[in-house]
Amino acid sequence: MFVAQNFTEGYLRSVSDSEIFGGLSGLITRSKMGKSEGDEKILSYNDVVLRKSDLDILSGPYYLNDRIIEFYFSYLSTIHPSKDILLSPPSIAFWIMNCPDTENLNDFLKPLNLCDKKLVIFPVNDNNDVTKAEGGNHWSLLAFYREANVFVHHDSNKGMNKYDAKRLYKAVAKYMSGDSNSTSDLSYVECVESPQQVNGYDCGVYVTAIASIICRWYEQRKEVDKDGLWFSALVEEVSPSFVANMRSEILGLIRSLMAMKEYQPASK
């Protein structure tokens, strides 16, 4: 079980979020379209390395892999550069859910300063087998908003990931307050208004779309509606056509970054 061994070594120091995320992305991947020897690297963006197969995934009707979601979350962090916001890569969320050693998890999460973040967004995957590199069949999103002390789960497929999101919530909640013994002030909500997918492969794109809307809502918010939060914005904006355009938008973004001089293709 390489995952447990790698995660308990080398991450118990104070490092930046990007250092942690970059290291983890090399340790865990659960791509639905795996890497082959001929799958060349096409782009290095922040700490995320994309491959040619990622363009194929975005071009066709395929389930998004970890790399694409991590790339887009990294992009959102760039256009919403706030120390109050944390967009977790899939690898971080996966390890929080499945770490067998609570003590090491505590040390591992300290550099993320979760207790200081006002908005944290986690991608949720239903894979719970750390030995299965390509496990999982569905993506959803868990968002924490400190001003309302609430975790909100958005699932585009009728709550399919409800159990997994609740597992992540229970694992991470105690680290949000800085008091590992108290989670009494935090609540968990299944958002019944979450936009729903109309096919079997766009769940990951819904995650990127919802994350984008939440980040924009956070920057533009004027007052807190604890009952609605960002829900009305999602209902108004996220539709099947919006998600289809989102897939094309991410593909276009990657291609434009590839064409820019400062983002030369990564070496093979």
Side-chain angles (χ1 to χ4, degrees):
M1 294 177 64
F2 76 94
V3 175
Q5 294 174 351
N6 284 331
F7 270 79
T8 55
E9 298 175 2
Y11 289 100
L12 306 185
R13 57 188 175 86
S14 178
V15 294
S16 69
D17 293 356
S18 61
E19 284 179 290
I20 293 175
F21 295 169
L24 286 176
S25 65
L27 295 176
I28 293 182
T29 181
R30 300 190 306 283
S31 303
K32 297 302 287 185
M33 294 181 65
K35 181 182 73 175
S36 66
E37 291 184 2
D39 191 6
E40 63 179 319
K41 299 175 183 177
I42 57 167
L43 175 68
S44 179
Y45 180 83
N46 294 336
D47 292 304
V48 185
V49 174
L50 295 177
R51 297 179 177 275
K52 185 177 182 298
S53 63
D54 298 323
L55 296 182
D56 297 333
I57 289 172
L58 286 165
S59 298
Y62 300 116
Y63 174 102
L64 295 196
N65 62 17
D66 291 34
R67 287 194 300 267
I68 297 172
I69 292 176
E70 183 175 0
F71 160 76
Y72 194 72
F73 274 28
S74 182
Y75 171 72
L76 286 178
S77 296
T78 299
I79 63 175
H80 300 285
S82 171
K83 293 182 179 179
D84 295 335
I85 300 175
L86 175 66
L87 289 123
S88 168
S91 52
I92 293 281
F94 178 72
W95 186 240
I96 293 172
M97 292 170 65
N98 296 288
C99 179
D101 189 329
T102 303
E103 182 177 348
N104 281 330
L105 179 61
N106 181 53
D107 290 334
F108 173 75
L109 291 178
K110 281 181 181 178
L112 297 183
N113 298 315
L114 292 175
C115 60
D116 296 328
K117 304 300 181 183
K118 295 182 179 179
L119 176 66
V120 184
I121 298 176
F122 299 99
V124 181
N125 191 275
D126 61 352
N127 178 31
N128 58 12
D129 185 351
V130 297
T131 68
K132 192 173 182 181
E134 297 182 9
N137 297 294
H138 184 53
W139 292 107
S140 59
L141 180 148
L142 183 67
F144 171 72
Y145 183 47
R146 184 169 301 281
E147 196 160 339
N149 267 341
V150 64
F151 282 84
V152 181
H153 182 222
H154 291 283
D155 194 323
S156 62
N157 192 13
K158 301 177 181 179
M160 181 176 174
N161 271 5
K162 182 177 181 179
Y163 167 77
D164 302 282
K166 203 66 178 286
R167 271 204 311 132
L168 177 55
Y169 157 69
K170 290 179 178 178
V172 78
K174 60 185 178 182
Y175 300 105
M176 292 302 185
S177 64
D179 182 356
S180 62
N181 296 314
S182 176
T183 61
S184 58
D185 294 334
L186 302 177
S187 60
Y188 173 93
V189 173
E190 283 285 336
C191 181
V192 297
E193 301 173 66
S194 295
Q196 297 295 290
Q197 64 193 83
V198 294
N199 54 49
Y201 51 81
D202 267 340
C203 53
V205 191
Y206 272 83
V207 167
T208 62
I210 292 171
S212 177
I213 297 297
I214 293 175
C215 287
R216 192 177 70 204
W217 171 88
Y218 180 81
E219 285 195 342
Q220 298 176 351
R221 75 200 187 289
K222 294 181 180 179
E223 58 185 42
V224 177
D225 176 359
K226 290 189 177 181
D227 294 324
L229 297 174
W230 49 79
F231 299 170
S232 60
L234 293 183
V235 172
E236 291 172 6
E237 297 188 47
V238 181
S239 63
S241 60
F242 180 93
V243 169
N245 289 335
M246 188 83 181
R247 184 181 282 268
S248 298
E249 178 185 317
I250 297 173
L251 180 60
L253 174 63
I254 293 171
R255 285 175 170 161
S256 67
L257 291 173
M258 290 171 62
M260 292 172 63
K261 184 177 180 179
E262 60 266 39
Y263 290 106
Q264 292 295 322
S267 58
K268 295 183 180 180

